[in-house]
Amino acid sequence: MYFIYLDESGDSRLEIKNPREEADFFVLGGLLIKEKDLHDCNKQFLEFKKENLPEELWHYPIHAVELNQISKHKKTKYRGILDDNEGREFLEKAYKLINTFPIEAIAILIDNHELKKKYLNPINPYFLAYEFLIEKCQKDRKSTRLNSSHIPL
């Protein structure tokens, strides 16, 4: 069985007024991990966070957008604990560790502007991307059951 961690970027609302053609995208990304590897990866990542972050951040999710520019995000938990350079350094170390994990990545990009132009009543981009992602997973892993879940990184 596989577990899938999903995260979105962009906006899935099609009713936004005056969208910018060059910036109206929705992305749904997924990390796939086999059930047998999940516990070990979670354990390694928590140990990594305990070695590199103060205790109040051990169970806080990693947000690359915030870590890249902590000073620009007023509501981030990282603010006042890490500065911009420390955030980027931590993120670089995290990427190196994650790159050693036995995971697969998949991303679906939807151009909302073109979607609205092409279809009179388009499907919500989140659901459309989710359908594409699941279809791809099922096609690639015909004999493997998939379980949609959240992996607490």
Side-chain angles (χ1 to χ4, degrees):
M1 177 168 49
Y2 279 81
F3 285 85
I4 303 174
Y5 169 79
L6 297 175
D7 199 9
E8 74 278 345
S9 179
D11 203 318
S12 64
R13 295 176 295 144
L14 294 175
E15 68 276 359
I16 296 174
K17 294 182 181 185
N18 304 319
R20 294 186 332 208
E21 183 176 349
E22 70 279 0
D24 194 17
F25 293 98
F26 178 77
V27 180
L28 182 65
L31 295 178
L32 288 74
I33 187 167
K34 291 180 181 174
E35 181 179 23
K36 69 178 183 64
D37 299 320
L38 182 62
H39 176 74
D40 186 50
C41 289
N42 276 335
K43 182 180 173 188
Q44 283 183 56
F45 201 75
L46 182 57
E47 287 172 7
F48 166 77
K49 287 170 78 174
K50 287 180 177 181
E51 291 170 8
N52 290 279
L53 295 172
E55 187 173 356
E56 61 265 30
L57 294 175
W58 291 353
H59 298 287
Y60 187 66
I62 301 302
H63 293 285
V65 170
E66 295 173 7
L67 283 164
N68 273 313
Q69 294 183 316
I70 293 170
S71 61
K72 290 190 176 186
H73 295 272
K74 295 181 186 211
K75 294 186 179 183
T76 180
K77 264 192 164 181
Y78 304 119
R79 194 176 186 129
I81 299 172
L82 301 175
D83 64 29
D84 286 347
N85 287 332
E86 292 169 325
R88 285 190 288 272
E89 287 172 11
F90 172 78
L91 194 55
E92 187 175 323
K93 288 181 193 176
Y95 286 150
K96 285 179 182 175
L97 175 64
I98 292 169
N99 199 32
T100 68
F101 290 168
I103 57 177
E104 295 177 55
I106 187 170
I108 308 297
L109 171 76
I110 295 181
D111 182 333
N112 287 340
H113 183 77
E114 289 297 316
L115 184 68
K116 290 185 275 188
K117 217 163 73 172
K118 188 171 182 176
Y119 298 101
L120 189 58
N121 292 311
I123 297 172
N124 178 298
Y126 182 88
F127 297 115
L128 184 60
Y130 186 77
E131 286 178 18
F132 282 142
L133 188 130
I134 294 300
E135 183 178 303
K136 170 101 174 100
C137 292
Q138 288 173 336
K139 181 179 176 187
D140 290 350
R141 291 157 189 82
K142 289 180 184 175
S143 63
T144 306
R145 286 183 31 226
L146 291 169
N147 182 14
S148 186
S149 182
H150 174 77
I151 301 170
L153 296 177

